[in-house]
Every structure is written in structure tokens, then in C-alpha cells.
Amino acid sequence: MLLERKLGRTGIDVTVLGLGCYQITEEFGVKQETASRILDYAMEKGITWYHTAAMYGYGESEELVGRALMRHKENPKLHCALRSVTLINRSKKSMQTPSNRPGRLTSQIRSI
């Protein structure tokens, strides 16, 4: 089991080791099949913290992370941070965001 810590003031426990998903897109020469294997491996090994953004691979990163989350939906501890400083807490089915930009936020969540 990986070491976990509280994520700021959210009260959510996440692994101290996370996966930044900026460079796992075809923009960086990583095929989607390879990116999917990377995400699946990380999720199977217990990493619960993933960072993505709409600008990462022009949305490809969010889509890859979203599909991986669906493949591992039995794990309620998986968390994903979006670039607009939004945290999706799957175990509590809630979102936390300091700025409420409904249009942008809604499209990001749909991607994931």
C-alpha cells in the first residue's frame, strides 16, 4: 500500500505519489493504447491521484483519464484534479472548486 496524506483542506486522502498526465498523449508521441496501459498500471498499483487539464493534448489527456476511471470504477478512492483547480471526489460524489465556471467545468467533467 502506498503512503497517503490529506490533500490540503479537502479532508481527502490521496497517495503521496501521483500521476501527472500531461505527457501521455499523442502530442508527445505516446499512443493511446500505451497511455491506457500506463494509467491502468498506476491504478492497479494503488496510485489514487491523477492530474489532467483540457489543454493537455488538446483534451486527449482528460479523455484517457476518464476512460481509465471508468475501467476502474469499482475503486472509490481514485481522484482526479483538473487544471481549473477542481477536484472530483468520487467517494463522496462531489466537486470542490474555488471558482465556479459552470460552462468550462461542465465540459471538463463530461470529458472525464
Side-chain angles (χ1 to χ4, degrees):
M1 176 154 205
L2 295 171
L3 181 64
E4 293 183 343
R5 293 207 176 108
K6 296 276 185 224
L7 178 65
R9 294 177 284 187
T10 66
I12 299 169
D13 290 320
V14 295
T15 51
V16 295
L17 177 64
L19 181 62
C21 301
Y22 178 51
Q23 294 181 335
I24 61 166
T25 64
E26 291 192 14
E27 180 182 4
F28 288 92
V30 179
K31 299 291 182 201
Q32 288 193 0
E33 179 182 316
T34 302
S36 293
R37 285 198 317 262
I38 291 167
L39 287 162
D40 287 339
Y41 183 83
M43 290 179 185
E44 289 162 6
K45 294 301 178 186
I47 294 174
T48 61
W49 178 243
Y50 299 85
H51 186 272
T52 187
M55 61 192 280
Y56 295 178
Y58 305 99
E60 182 183 359
S61 173
E62 287 182 334
E63 292 174 15
L64 289 164
V65 171
R67 287 194 296 268
L69 288 170
M70 289 303 296
R71 288 192 299 277
H72 298 270
K73 63 184 170 187
E74 74 284 350
N75 185 348
K77 291 197 70 165
L78 295 174
H79 302 288
C80 179
L82 304 174
R83 181 66 172 98
S84 60
V85 194
T86 301
L87 178 70
I88 298 174
N89 182 350
R90 292 179 51 183
S91 60
K92 293 182 182 177
K93 295 186 170 96
S94 65
M95 293 178 298
Q96 299 168 2
T97 178
S99 61
N100 197 358
R101 289 179 257 166
R104 179 162 159 62
L105 185 57
T106 299
S107 68
Q108 284 183 285
I109 292 168
R110 283 191 183 127
S111 293
I112 291 179

